[in-house]
């Protein structure tokens, strides 16, 4: 194949991989429940109808959707027109009882706006009073007045609405058993609805909500996407991130994101599979987040996202596909399906949402040395720290197996392995069997890591 043919093949392969990912995610999340909180500023933005169109499309793809619109901006407007003042305490709007009819009107006004937009996409949405609430009351001597907390959700009724193909819309209002209305924080409502309904995903779609290294201080263990944002954090990484950024210096945008991350942690701990913080200022952010590995925002999760496991025979074709660019560029030696089949016990893979995205192997030698080989990470995942995780996993495995020393051979990535603690060694130090197949033509460098306690 000539250079032109090779380039065309690479372009087609790249497109095919994107399409395969979309199909895989559609299959994976068919009938999944997605709770979408949309910030009030987005509802007034030029991108609002585009987001609604995307939400209609993911509903068409078989996902179940619940909308929870923010209404603070509309409530502000109506209270100002009516000359009713308010204050803010602990992220809650504090008003007297005379404000509640207007707050309720504003909340339903915004929900109607969302329902009308969905109708424009031929989607039937329902606004309901599915939230039983109780007054927040007096906390630490402070009276929260008309603010309420969720007491109970009408889960069976909501589930029926979803099963009938409708999109429920929750205004930020709850009612007591006696019919008294309370104002509920929309972001808190979204979290609670996700928990009560055991949602697969909770989206917080907020303008300019990007978590990156220019806005926040990132702990060392946090990887970045190709766009410079944090694509995902588990709960342990999230705790470290919040601690590192606990001093927001009065930055309202940073405080808002930190608050959302705290809500995300609470949701995940309470059973929500994944929570996503999305920059609503980006057109297409919602489908990108659902139908691609790293999406466009930041995902918070407890487990079952990226997993290192032993390679199975069904994984071999996918592993060869991950290796191919590295073999083509000369970084890796060629491998075949037969070779991997014979070495099945040596390889581990990194599985991300059902797709193999990286691999590596640990080869044992009679003299107690072990070799790390065949390390390959899909370029789409190269910025999030998968490579170091694979090496750490294999070093731990080699240590448990009482390896005297770990080595690897590389032509182009010696600097990277040095950052992981490997140092350059000699060809003469290799096991005899491995030394026999080393060639001066390839002239691979030997990198070594001695294991303390096993020498």
């Amino acid at each position: 194949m000539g250079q032109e043919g090779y380039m065309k093949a690479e372009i087609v392969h790249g497109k095919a991989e994107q399409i395969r990912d979309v199909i895989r995610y559609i299959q994976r999340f068919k009938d999944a429940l997605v709770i979408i909180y949309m910030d009030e500023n987005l509802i007034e933005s030029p991108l609002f109808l585009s987001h609604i169109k995307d939400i209609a499309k993911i509903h068409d793809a078989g996902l179940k959707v619940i909308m929870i619109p923010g209404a603070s901006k509309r409530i502000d407007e109506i209270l100002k027109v009516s000359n009713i003042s308010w204050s803010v305490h602990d992220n809650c709007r504090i008003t007297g009882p005379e404000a509640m009819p207007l707050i309720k009107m504003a909340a339903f006004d915004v929900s109607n706006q969302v329902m009308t937009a969905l109708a424009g996409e031929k989607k039937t949405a329902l606004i309901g009073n599915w939230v039983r609430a109780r007054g927040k009351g007096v906390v630490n001597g402070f009276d929260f007045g008309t603010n309420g907390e969720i007491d109970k959700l009408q889960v069976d009724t909501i589930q029926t609405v979803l099963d009938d193909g409708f999109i429920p819309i929750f205004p930020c209002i709850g009612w007591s058993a006696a019919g008294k209305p309370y104002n509920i924080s929309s972001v808190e409502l979204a979290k609670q609805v996700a928990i009560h309904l055991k949602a697969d995903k909770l989206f917080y779609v907020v303008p300019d909500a990007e978590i990156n290294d220019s806005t926040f201080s990132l702990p060392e263990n946090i990887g970045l996407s190709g766009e410079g944002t944090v694509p995902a954090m588990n709960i342990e990484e999230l705790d470290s991130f919040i601690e590192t950024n606990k001093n927001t210096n009065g930055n309202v945008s940073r405080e808002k994101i930190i608050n959302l991350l705290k809500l995300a942690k609470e949701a995940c701990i309470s059973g929500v599979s994944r929570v996503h913080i999305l920059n609503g200022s980006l057109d297409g952010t919602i489908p990108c987040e659902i139908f691609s590995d790293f999406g466009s925002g930041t995902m918070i999760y407890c487990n079952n996202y990226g997993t290192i496991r032993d390679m199975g025979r069904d994984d071999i074709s996918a592993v060869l596909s991950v290796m191919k660019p590295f073999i083509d560029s000369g970084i890796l030696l060629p491998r075949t399906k037969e070779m991997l089949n014979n070495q099945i016990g040596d390889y581990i893979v990194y599985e991300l949402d059902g797709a193999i995205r990286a691999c590596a192997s640990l080869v044992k030698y009679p003299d107690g040395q072990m070799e790390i080989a065949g390390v390959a990470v899909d370029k789409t995942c190269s910025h999030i720290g998968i490579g170091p995780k694979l090496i750490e996993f294999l070093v731990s495995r080699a240590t448990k197996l009482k390896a005297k020393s770990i080595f690897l051979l590389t032509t182009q990535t010696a600097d990277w392995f040095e950052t992981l603690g490997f140092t350059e060694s000699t060809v003469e130090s290799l096991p005899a069997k491995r030394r026999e197949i080393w060639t001066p033509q390839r002239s691979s460098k030997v990198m070594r890591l001695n294991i303390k306690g096993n020498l």
Side-chain angles (χ1 to χ4, degrees):
M1 182 185 296
Q3 183 65 24
E4 184 178 350
Y6 177 79
M7 290 178 63
K8 286 182 179 178
E10 286 297 301
I11 291 171
V12 171
H13 174 74
K15 290 180 178 178
E17 283 299 298
Q18 291 177 348
I19 293 170
R20 288 167 186 153
D21 283 345
V22 170
I23 293 172
R24 175 165 55 87
Y25 276 104
I26 288 175
Q27 293 171 334
R28 182 179 180 87
F29 292 119
K30 183 175 174 59
D31 294 324
L33 176 58
V34 182
I35 313 297
I36 300 176
Y37 163 83
M38 185 172 291
D39 187 89
E40 58 270 10
N41 291 296
L42 290 175
I43 296 172
E44 300 295 333
S45 79
L47 283 177
F48 173 59
L49 292 181
S50 182
H51 288 318
I52 291 294
K53 188 182 292 290
D54 287 339
I55 290 167
K57 292 296 183 185
I58 68 172
H59 190 262
D60 287 336
L63 285 78
K64 296 177 180 178
V65 176
I66 289 177
M67 292 288 298
I68 300 178
S72 291
K73 189 174 181 180
R74 183 63 178 144
I75 294 172
D76 287 352
E77 292 170 354
I78 290 181
L79 292 183
K80 285 179 181 177
V81 168
S82 302
N83 292 317
I84 294 178
S85 61
W86 70 90
S87 61
V88 176
H89 180 80
D90 197 18
N91 293 318
C92 292
R93 182 193 303 273
I94 309 302
T95 66
E98 73 281 0
M100 199 58 221
L102 297 175
I103 292 174
K104 184 170 67 172
M105 180 177 70
F108 275 84
D109 185 25
V110 172
S111 293
N112 271 300
Q113 194 174 345
V114 174
M115 183 173 68
T116 301
L118 286 168
E121 297 299 324
K122 298 180 173 55
K123 290 295 174 183
T124 303
L126 297 177
I127 302 171
N129 57 343
W130 300 296
V131 180
R132 176 73 63 82
R134 61 179 180 272
K136 195 174 179 70
V138 179
V139 180
N140 295 325
F142 187 87
D143 188 352
F144 279 84
T146 58
N147 283 276
E149 295 179 337
I150 297 170
D151 189 29
K152 184 179 179 182
L153 290 183
Q154 297 180 23
V155 174
D156 292 342
T157 303
I158 300 166
Q159 194 60 58
T160 298
V161 171
L162 290 167
D163 291 342
D164 287 342
F166 301 133
I167 298 177
I169 301 174
F170 283 67
C172 56
I173 303 294
W175 286 263
S176 71
K180 183 179 179 179
Y182 288 101
N183 186 199
I184 300 176
S185 162
S186 296
V187 291
E188 177 70 26
L189 177 60
K191 182 196 78 173
Q192 290 292 346
V193 170
I195 292 170
H196 279 76
L197 295 176
K198 298 179 173 60
D200 299 280
K201 289 180 175 291
L202 166 58
F203 284 6
Y204 285 113
V205 188
V206 179
D208 302 318
E210 283 201 352
I211 301 175
N212 53 43
D213 57 358
S214 62
T215 308
F216 293 94
S217 298
L218 303 185
E220 290 184 3
N221 60 334
I222 302 294
L224 293 174
S225 70
E227 293 75 33
T229 59
V230 177
M233 287 188 280
N234 61 33
I235 295 300
E236 292 74 21
E237 292 169 332
L238 177 61
D239 285 340
S240 177
F241 179 90
I242 291 174
E243 177 64 24
T244 302
N245 293 277
K246 62 184 178 182
N247 185 3
T248 60
N249 296 317
N251 186 307
V252 176
S253 296
R254 283 165 56 98
E255 287 178 356
K256 189 169 187 177
I257 292 177
I258 293 295
N259 182 52
L260 292 177
L261 289 173
K262 290 177 180 178
L263 292 172
K265 177 183 176 180
E266 293 169 9
C268 286
I269 290 174
S270 299
V272 178
S273 298
R274 301 173 186 183
V275 182
H276 305 253
I277 313 297
L278 302 186
N279 180 0
S281 300
L282 299 177
D283 191 11
T285 186
I286 295 172
C288 281
E289 187 71 10
I290 294 176
F291 298 128
S292 62
D293 283 337
F294 300 110
S296 58
T298 298
M299 182 181 76
I300 309 303
Y301 65 98
C302 279
N303 49 38
N304 196 31
Y305 174 56
T307 304
I308 296 176
R309 61 171 175 80
D310 292 332
M311 181 178 74
R313 299 195 189 280
D314 291 342
D315 302 321
I316 289 176
S317 294
V319 168
L320 287 172
S321 180
V322 171
M323 287 182 169
K324 185 178 183 303
F326 300 92
I327 293 172
D328 291 343
S329 63
I331 294 175
L332 289 183
L333 289 169
R335 265 83 167 176
T336 65
K337 188 173 183 179
E338 183 179 5
M339 290 171 64
L340 292 189
N341 197 51
N342 291 334
Q343 299 166 355
I344 191 77
D346 295 340
Y347 275 85
I348 60 171
V349 296
Y350 187 93
E351 184 177 12
L352 184 66
D353 272 341
I356 304 302
R357 295 304 187 192
C359 62
S361 68
L362 183 67
V363 184
K364 308 171 190 65
Y365 291 91
D367 65 354
Q369 295 191 63
M370 295 187 187
E371 178 185 10
I372 292 177
V375 180
V377 179
D378 189 299
K379 64 180 181 180
T380 62
C381 308
S382 60
H383 300 280
I384 65 167
I386 292 176
K389 288 179 182 177
L390 291 176
I391 302 302
E392 181 183 357
F393 184 92
L394 290 181
V395 168
S396 176
R397 176 171 286 187
T399 303
K400 291 176 182 177
L401 293 172
K402 305 299 182 183
K404 293 180 180 178
S405 180
I406 303 170
F407 71 91
L408 55 88
L409 282 83
T410 179
T411 57
Q412 300 176 37
T413 55
D415 289 343
W416 184 75
F417 284 110
E418 283 182 352
T419 66
L420 301 178
F422 286 79
T423 57
E424 190 168 349
S425 186
T426 64
V427 175
E428 290 71 27
S429 68
L430 296 174
K433 184 178 179 181
R434 186 66 182 87
R435 193 164 59 246
E436 289 173 1
I437 59 176
W438 183 91
T439 63
Q441 290 80 13
R442 185 169 172 81
S443 194
S444 299
K445 286 187 176 181
V446 179
M447 307 296 293
R448 186 172 298 280
L449 181 70
N450 290 318
I451 302 177
K452 295 179 180 179
N454 287 0
L455 296 176

